[in-house]
Amino acid sequence: MTRQHRTPRLLAAGAAAAVAFALAACQPEPVPSGSTEPDGATAEPTSTVESTPTPTPTETDAFVLPSSCEEIYSADMRATLEADNPPLNDPGVTMYSSENAVVLELIDSGAPTLRCTWGTPSGYGLATNITLIDDAQGEEIAAELSAAGFSSEDVAVGSIHRIEQRGITLDDEPYTLGETHVIGDGAIVTTRWINFAPEGYSEDIIATLWGADSADSAG
C-alpha cells in the first residue's frame, strides 16, 4: 500500500525530537496540531474538537456500516493481519485514524463509525475508522486533504488520498508513518499507520465493502 500513489514528506533527522518509541500508549493524545511524530498506539477523540453539529448521514442501500471489524477485510487480508501484527482491537491501542482536524471533527461529530486497530500499544500498528458521510462532507474532506499535501487517486467508489512521512528519533531509530483515506460512496475509510503498512490494505477494504476493484476508474 505504501509504494504507490503517495506524496512523501520527509522529516529532517532530529526533527522528531519528542518522538519516543517506548510509548505509554494507553494515554490518549490531545487533538494534534500538525505534529507528524510517531505517537504509538493512541483512542479516537471523544469530545476534544468543538464543532457545530452536522447532520448525521443515515445508512442507505448504497452503503451499510459493517457491524464488526471482521466484516471489512477479505479472508486473505484478515489472515495476513492476524499473522503479521495481532491482535485485532487491543483495548490499549488508542491511536487516531488521522491527525487531520477536519477528519477528526467528522469522526467526533457523532456520525456512525466503526473503529478497528491492529497491534499492541507500541510504535508499530495501525488504526482505521469507517464513518458514514454524505456527498458534501466527502467533497469537503477531499479538498482539505488535497490542501494538506495528500496525493489523490480516483477509483471506482470515489478517491484515495495518501501521505507518508519519515524521520529519525533522538535514539537514532528510523520511523515511517502515514495516512490513507478512502472517500467512497456513503462512507470514508480513514487509516493511520506507524511502521506497519500492509500492501493493499485500503484496496482490500474497498473491494470488501463496496464490491469494487480499486483499480477501476471512477464513474
Side-chain angles (χ1 to χ4, degrees):
M1 178 180 71
T2 60
R3 296 196 293 270
Q4 57 180 340
H5 305 294
R6 66 177 85 130
T7 304
R9 293 167 59 187
L10 301 181
L11 303 180
V19 177
F21 272 74
L23 300 162
C26 59
Q27 298 294 327
E29 65 187 37
V31 174
S33 57
S35 170
T36 57
E37 298 172 350
D39 51 9
T42 69
E44 295 295 337
T46 55
S47 58
T48 50
V49 178
E50 296 182 359
S51 61
T52 302
T54 56
T56 299
T58 58
E59 296 182 3
T60 67
D61 291 339
F63 188 92
V64 176
L65 188 69
S67 60
S68 69
C69 294
E70 288 81 358
E71 298 177 22
I72 76 172
Y73 307 107
S74 68
D76 287 346
M77 178 57 69
R78 175 76 185 277
T80 296
L81 295 167
E82 289 179 338
D84 291 350
N85 197 24
L88 171 63
N89 294 336
D90 185 307
V93 174
T94 57
M95 180 165 62
Y96 294 107
S97 65
S98 178
E99 286 195 327
N100 183 274
V102 172
V103 176
L104 290 177
E105 182 176 339
L106 169 66
I107 294 169
D108 197 41
S109 70
T113 296
L114 174 68
R115 171 175 165 80
C116 307
T117 67
W118 287 96
T120 58
S122 67
Y124 188 80
L126 63 78
T128 291
N129 273 355
I130 302 168
T131 303
L132 297 188
I133 60 172
D134 57 31
D135 290 344
Q137 289 171 317
E139 292 173 1
E140 177 186 5
I141 294 170
E144 167 62 23
L145 294 177
S146 177
F150 283 70
S151 68
S152 178
E153 174 192 354
D154 291 335
V155 293
V157 301
S159 55
I160 297 181
H161 305 261
R162 310 176 194 267
I163 200 165
E164 181 179 300
Q165 300 154 344
R166 299 174 185 271
I168 300 177
T169 70
L170 289 179
D171 295 326
D172 293 326
E173 292 289 340
Y175 65 82
T176 305
L177 58 83
E179 297 185 16
T180 303
H181 304 312
V182 177
I183 300 176
D185 182 14
I188 180 172
V189 180
T190 62
T191 298
R192 183 165 180 257
W193 52 269
I194 299 176
N195 296 321
F196 179 64
E199 184 71 27
Y201 178 85
S202 292
E203 291 80 358
D204 183 80
I205 293 176
I206 291 174
T208 303
L209 296 185
W210 280 277
D213 185 344
S214 63
D216 295 338
S217 59

